[in-house]
């Protein structure tokens, strides 16, 4: 998408900014993950920011797609509100939740500015000028800080406030405001290690703040057409630490350098995702010699024990303002890292607790929680002071991402450690890292089972390799390819031989899925309407139909035209009850010597998954 300099901010600028931010976070994601040492060194801040921004960008694209060719473009308010809503419903982790509130704060001002400009007869379009963008940055910083129960300096909140402060001293065009905000954020980011002890000991800047600087750099490019230069100590996240700073606690000097050194652009970090000053199991580091550290928590107040709470709980919540106020008080008493963002009846709730059930129950009392995500930090006990019997690690394990509860059971019966990917909620790299640790093996085969998870899985594999675990990533694009790979898995073979056999089995399996179109759009098979049944083969739309069974039969016939020995059907909860029996009969009557296996996938997103080996 070409960028041209402009002195105003309109719907197209919102779209361009989201696109550029997503691209920039994609480049910086692994580096940001690698410097994520605070409050929990689970190495997923960059990934969470990327997934949150991806949801925002998708929502903006949907708004533009709703305008047919030849009609006017959406208003600034339409685009800004879509950006904020997309970020809210797709927010991942602490950093993503705060980014969603930053975007919401900006959207509120941009929408107001757009409506005012559209009402002005002298204005040709809905747009905001430099002062409007400056006010949006201030609203963003203030609203994000208000959403955090116990703000801590040296985090993304500090960087956001610095950006808003710098913008207030800028001129009156959008280019000047954006550049000033970016430079102010860079300076504040470089100073974060001086404000937060765990960052200083690890020799890194705040990961969330680093991500915000990247997003603001994309804002500069969106309004000027010129890409910013990423320099060490500012955007890159690297910081040279003196001997006293880099030594860390006793016995931890130099620990974690591998993760940072192997991540793109992270030379000089001095610490990886489990670097000096952070425990290797993903819990918050204990620092009894520095009392201030006991109160640290990413963007919120950590008031628990040194090890920190055991669970991260996130959910969307439909509730009124009064109920949310009561919920904040209750969750604040249960744990820390409390961030509640949103408004107008829809909220995103994030908290770290030891009692995940109580956090969810509090949401049920406040309203209707959904998209509930509970993540355990690390593979040890919640607090490191408690001992438990140790067990010797297994030689080899398989870790797989699966789209539904039924497949999770199937994979589990085959001995795999599973990570459940609910529809619209792909797992972050930190969740995959935790699953690998939970498998407790010296050698691990990782099956992402989704083309979109390739980079996330690669980041997770790189991180656990620094912990001495041998990991092989097989780029499976569907759960049916994972089933094929798991079927030939043989732990008694040499690791390399086992990986080769599993990779060959997955590669020899064509995959398809039958889904329902959510909106009108162009596809490789033509134009589909909302509600149409789509048959995708190897990731591309091959069939557009109106009946699930008929579409599935056409897809299966096309796949078997080139031959096959085994058909695997994974049926989702929303598929017709008779579809599996119909397809089995079709194979039995029309394709000699081809076997069929049928599994129940549960709530897997797709109506039907098909594999042909």
């Amino acid at each position: 998408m070409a960028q041209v300099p402009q002195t105003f901010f309109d719907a197209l600028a919102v779209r361009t900014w989201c696109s550029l931010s997503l691209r920039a976070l994609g480049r910086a994601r692994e580096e940001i993950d690698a410097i994520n040492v605070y409050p929990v060194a689970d190495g997923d801040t960059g990934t969470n920011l990327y997934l949150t921004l991806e949801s925002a960008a998708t929502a903006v694209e949907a708004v533009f797609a709703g305008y047919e060719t030849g009609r006017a473009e959406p208003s600034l308010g339409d685009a800004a509100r879509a950006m904020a809503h997309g970020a809210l419903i797709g927010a991942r982790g602490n950093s993503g939740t705060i980014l969603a509130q930053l975007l919401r704060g900006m959207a509120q001002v941009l929408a107001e500015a757009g409506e005012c400009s559209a009402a002005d007869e002298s204005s040709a379009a809905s747009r905001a000028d430099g002062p409007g963008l400056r006010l949006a940055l201030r609203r963003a910083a203030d609203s994000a800080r208000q959403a955090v129960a116990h703000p801590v300096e040296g985090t993304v909140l500090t960087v956001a406030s610095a950006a808003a402060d710098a913008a207030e001293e800028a001129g009156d065009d959008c280019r000047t405001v954006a550049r000033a905000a970016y430079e102010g954020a860079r300076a504040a980011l470089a100073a974060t290690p001086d404000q937060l002890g765990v960052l200083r000991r690890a020799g890194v800047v705040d990961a969330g703040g680093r991500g915000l600087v990247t997003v603001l750099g994309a804002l500069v490019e969106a309004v000027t057409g010129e890409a910013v230069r990423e320099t060490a100590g500012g955007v890159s996240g690297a910081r040279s630490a003196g001997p006293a700073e880099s030594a860390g606690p006793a016995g931890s000097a130099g620990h974690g350098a591998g993760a940072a050194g192997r991540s793109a652009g992270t030379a000089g970090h001095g610490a990886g995702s489990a670097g000096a000053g952070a425990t290797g199991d993903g819990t918050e580091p204990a620092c009894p010699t520095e009392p201030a550290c006991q109160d640290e928590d990413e963007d919120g107040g950590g008031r628990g024990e040194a090890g920190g709470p055991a669970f991260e709980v996130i959910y969307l919540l439909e509730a009124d303002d009064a109920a949310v106020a009561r919920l904040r008080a209750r969750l604040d008493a249960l744990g820390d890292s409390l961030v509640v963002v949103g408004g107008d009846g829809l909220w995103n709730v994030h908290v770290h607790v030891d009692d995940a059930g109580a956090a969810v129950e509090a949401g049920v009392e406040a309203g209707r929680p959904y998209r509930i995500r509970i993540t355990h930090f690390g593979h040890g006990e919640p607090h490191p002071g408690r001992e438990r019997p140790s067990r010797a690690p297994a030689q080899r394990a398989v870790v797989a991402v699966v789209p539904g509860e039924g497949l999770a059971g199937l994979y589990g019966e085959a001995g795999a450690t599973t990570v459940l990917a609910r529809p619209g909620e792909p797992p972050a790299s930190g969740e995959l890292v935790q699953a690998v640790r939970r498998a407790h093996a010296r050698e691990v085969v990782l099956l992402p089972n989704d083309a979109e998870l390739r980079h996330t899985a690669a980041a997770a594999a790189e991180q656990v390799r620094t912990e001495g675990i041998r990991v092989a990533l097989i780029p499976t694009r569907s759960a049916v390819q994972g089933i094929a790979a798991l079927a030939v898995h043989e732990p008694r073979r040499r690791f390399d031989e086992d990986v080769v056999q599993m990779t060959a089995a997955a590669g020899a399996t064509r995959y398809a899925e039958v889904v329902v179109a959510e909106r009108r759009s162009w596809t490789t098979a033509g134009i589909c309407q909302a509600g149409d049944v789509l048959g995708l083969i190897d990731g591309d739309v091959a069939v557009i139909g109106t009946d699930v069974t008929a579409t599935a039969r056409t897809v299966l016939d096309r796949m078997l035209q080139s031959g096959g020995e085994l058909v695997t059907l994974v049926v989702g909860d929303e598929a017709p009850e008779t579809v599996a029996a119909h397809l089995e009969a079709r194979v039995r009557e029309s394709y000699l010597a081809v076997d069929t296996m049928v599994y129940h996938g549960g709530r897997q997103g797709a109506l039907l998954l098909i594999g042909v080996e």
Side-chain angles (χ1 to χ4, degrees):
M1 186 182 300
Q3 289 81 50
V4 295
Q6 57 187 60
T7 58
F8 55 85
F9 206 75
D10 59 5
L12 183 58
V14 172
R15 185 188 196 185
T16 303
W17 180 32
C18 287
S19 175
L20 292 172
S21 294
L22 190 62
R23 189 184 311 167
L25 284 173
R27 292 192 301 264
R29 179 187 55 77
E30 291 186 18
E31 176 193 334
I32 297 172
D33 283 345
I35 64 171
N36 174 201
V37 299
Y38 173 75
V40 179
D42 50 358
D44 63 358
T45 291
T47 300
N48 287 340
L49 289 170
Y50 178 87
L51 293 173
T52 302
L53 210 292
E54 183 179 47
S55 181
T58 299
V60 173
E61 289 300 321
V63 168
F64 273 83
Y67 284 74
E68 299 176 2
T69 304
R71 292 183 59 188
E73 292 181 348
S75 68
L76 173 58
D78 291 338
R81 282 188 288 265
M83 172 184 69
H85 181 73
L88 178 67
I89 64 174
R92 303 293 294 267
N94 208 357
S95 53
T97 306
I98 291 174
L99 176 61
Q101 188 67 2
L102 287 167
L103 295 180
R104 177 180 172 81
M106 290 193 70
Q108 289 172 336
V109 174
L110 293 175
E112 293 170 2
E115 291 168 1
C116 290
S117 66
D120 185 349
E121 295 182 358
S122 65
S123 177
S126 171
R127 59 181 59 171
D129 54 11
L133 181 58
R134 185 163 55 226
L135 182 59
L137 290 166
R138 171 51 61 194
R139 178 79 64 84
D142 292 347
S143 62
R145 190 171 287 270
Q146 292 165 6
V148 175
H150 302 277
V152 169
E153 299 307 324
T155 65
V156 64
L157 297 180
T158 305
V159 175
S161 294
D165 291 343
E168 289 180 349
E169 304 299 324
D172 287 338
D173 68 273
C174 286
R175 291 172 295 183
T176 305
V177 171
R179 284 192 181 279
Y182 169 70
E183 294 297 338
R186 285 182 70 242
L189 176 66
T192 54
D194 297 326
Q195 298 171 292
L196 214 49
V198 65
L199 301 179
R200 183 172 60 255
R201 286 185 298 278
V204 298
V205 295
D206 177 66
R210 165 68 173 90
L212 179 58
V213 169
T214 298
V215 172
L216 290 174
L219 177 62
V220 173
E221 185 175 357
V223 297
T224 67
E226 301 174 359
V228 299
R229 294 184 60 187
E230 300 192 358
T231 56
V235 179
S236 73
R239 181 178 186 269
S240 299
E245 294 175 341
S246 61
S252 65
H255 181 251
R262 278 188 277 271
S263 296
T266 58
H269 284 170
S273 60
T279 61
D281 64 352
T283 58
E284 187 176 357
C287 43
T289 59
E290 295 189 34
C293 184
Q294 300 301 325
D295 292 329
E296 293 172 354
D297 193 63
E298 181 185 5
D299 315 319
R303 299 171 325 287
E305 298 178 43
F311 298 97
E312 176 185 61
V313 178
I314 305 175
Y315 50 79
L316 289 177
L317 177 70
E318 293 179 356
D320 58 37
D321 291 3
V324 170
R326 295 191 295 271
L327 175 66
R328 287 178 189 269
R330 181 168 178 185
L331 292 181
D332 193 29
L334 284 174
D336 57 38
S337 257
L338 175 60
V339 186
V340 181
V341 303
D344 301 321
L346 180 63
W347 309 81
N348 192 305
V349 179
H350 171 282
V351 67
H352 293 176
V353 294
D354 277 333
D355 190 344
V360 175
E361 289 173 5
V364 172
E365 292 182 6
R368 187 178 80 88
Y370 59 103
R371 288 196 183 181
I372 300 168
R373 179 176 293 273
I374 300 173
T375 303
H376 189 279
F377 290 127
H379 60 284
E381 291 288 349
H383 304 301
R386 304 172 187 170
E387 297 182 358
R388 69 173 184 177
S390 61
R391 60 184 176 94
Q395 181 61 33
R396 189 174 308 161
V398 176
V399 173
V401 179
V402 292
E405 296 88 347
L407 281 179
L410 174 66
Y411 274 73
E413 290 173 3
T417 298
T418 60
V419 178
L420 188 61
R422 297 176 178 84
E425 298 181 44
S429 63
E431 293 176 76
L432 300 186
V433 168
Q434 292 161 14
V436 171
R437 290 170 177 162
R438 192 168 68 248
H440 201 53
R442 298 183 181 89
E443 300 169 340
V444 172
V445 179
L446 185 57
L447 306 175
N449 291 341
D450 187 336
E452 298 298 322
L453 288 178
R454 180 169 60 89
H455 295 299
T456 301
E462 184 66 21
Q463 180 174 339
V464 295
R465 287 184 185 121
T466 67
E467 301 174 15
I469 302 173
R470 190 179 184 188
V471 182
L473 171 61
I474 298 179
T476 49
R477 298 184 176 187
S478 170
V480 292
Q481 288 188 323
I483 292 173
L486 198 57
V488 300
H489 169 54
E490 177 49 70
R492 288 172 292 186
R493 275 196 296 248
R494 289 178 56 249
F495 185 64
D496 292 339
E497 293 177 357
D498 196 29
V499 171
V500 168
Q501 292 298 323
M502 294 177 71
T503 303
T509 302
R510 298 190 69 192
Y511 64 96
E513 58 181 321
V514 177
V515 300
V516 176
E518 295 182 354
R519 60 178 180 271
R520 182 179 187 272
S521 61
W522 288 89
T523 76
T524 51
I527 300 176
C528 73
Q529 306 294 333
D532 282 350
V533 181
L534 307 181
L536 291 81
I537 300 177
D538 295 334
D540 294 323
V541 177
V543 181
I544 300 175
T546 57
D547 179 75
V548 174
T549 301
T551 302
R553 183 177 63 246
T554 302
V555 168
L556 182 58
D557 285 341
R558 291 193 183 183
M559 295 178 75
L560 286 172
Q561 283 176 357
S562 57
E565 298 176 356
L566 175 65
V567 171
T568 301
L569 303 175
V570 183
V571 185
D573 281 347
E574 298 181 359
E577 294 182 0
T578 59
V579 67
H582 181 91
L583 295 178
E584 280 188 286
R586 176 69 173 174
V587 172
R588 186 170 55 252
E589 296 168 2
S590 303
Y591 302 95
L592 299 178
V594 177
D595 294 326
T596 305
M597 298 293 294
V598 179
Y599 302 104
H600 178 64
R603 294 176 296 172
Q604 61 184 19
L607 299 175
L608 180 69
L609 301 178
I610 305 174
V612 174
E613 297 180 43

